[in-house]
Amino acid sequence: MTGKRLFDLALLLPLVPLFAAAVGLLALAVLVLDGRPVFFRQPRVGVGGREFTVLKLRTMTCEPDPQLRRPTRLGRWLRQRGLDELPQLFNVLRGDMSLVGPRPLTPADAARLTAQHPPFAARFAGLPGLTGLAQVCLAEGPALTARLDAAYLERRSAALDLRILLRTAWMNLVGKRRGALARPTFS
């Protein structure tokens, strides 16, 4: 077991009852207000290109045509606060993800972005994360995201993970734009 895995479990295991209760209450709210299905499952690409299934609370309507799907009222609220991502803590417990790392991509997005920007493939050297440096810096575009993901993978440490986790919590409290980190510069 790696130090990063021990760090994730040390932070997560004491909080499992709290997170399980929160996911249960939010799932009940989705069921009552938006109906079934409550959860959204989607394949994602993890470390070494291995696929796994990510779990989220459903936030979109269920029209058969994906072009017609829209966020539900509850779904919009869940997304603004990042609460739709809470079920991914179970992916962290299973070892598919870490608390901090590059965000996992769908297989189609992984292939497309890696083809468009080959340095993007470096992100598959580590476990994907529930949050990451690119997320707390509000990175847009594959070039900046790849640079931030690579910087994280080069500099990862328990201290950096803790800083990113605290910043993520702050962003969820005050809003993503107000709570974001300034984008770091790289030499």
Side-chain angles (χ1 to χ4, degrees):
M1 192 175 298
T2 67
K4 185 161 179 56
R5 178 80 175 135
L6 287 172
F7 176 82
D8 286 344
L9 292 175
L11 287 180
L12 190 54
L13 285 176
L15 300 173
V16 164
L18 175 70
F19 287 126
V23 169
L25 288 172
L26 292 170
L28 182 62
V30 171
L31 178 65
V32 169
L33 297 174
D34 297 333
R36 292 179 194 265
V38 172
F39 293 102
F40 174 73
R41 291 170 177 79
Q42 188 175 46
R44 297 293 174 105
V45 178
V47 67
R50 183 179 61 84
E51 285 189 28
F52 67 98
T53 300
V54 76
L55 189 64
K56 292 176 148 189
L57 289 166
R58 183 175 64 83
T59 60
M60 301 292 284
T61 58
C62 296
E63 283 82 4
D65 180 357
Q67 301 292 353
L68 298 176
R69 293 180 189 156
R70 301 286 178 256
T72 64
R73 201 164 57 169
L74 177 62
R76 191 172 299 113
W77 184 85
L78 290 170
R79 282 183 172 197
Q80 287 171 346
R81 287 152 186 82
L83 296 173
D84 61 319
E85 310 275 347
L86 276 180
Q88 290 177 43
L89 291 169
F90 297 110
N91 289 104
V92 175
L93 286 173
R94 284 192 346 213
D96 294 329
M97 293 175 63
S98 180
L99 290 173
V100 180
R103 289 292 295 143
L105 299 172
T106 64
D109 285 342
R112 179 179 54 82
L113 290 168
T114 301
Q116 288 175 354
H117 192 73
F120 217 77
R123 71 190 344 257
F124 305 116
L127 279 175
L130 189 63
T131 187
L133 184 59
Q135 283 65 48
V136 298
C137 294
L138 297 180
E140 293 179 6
L144 180 57
T145 300
R147 285 181 48 213
L148 289 170
D149 287 343
Y152 168 77
L153 291 169
E154 288 173 16
R155 296 169 177 85
R156 64 184 155 194
S157 66
L160 180 57
D161 281 5
L162 194 55
R163 184 173 175 215
I164 291 171
L165 287 168
L166 291 172
R167 179 57 63 162
T168 299
W170 177 248
M171 289 171 71
N172 286 336
L173 285 174
V174 301
K176 291 180 181 178
R177 296 270 174 225
R178 287 182 47 207
L181 279 175
R183 292 192 181 132
T185 57
F186 304 104
S187 50

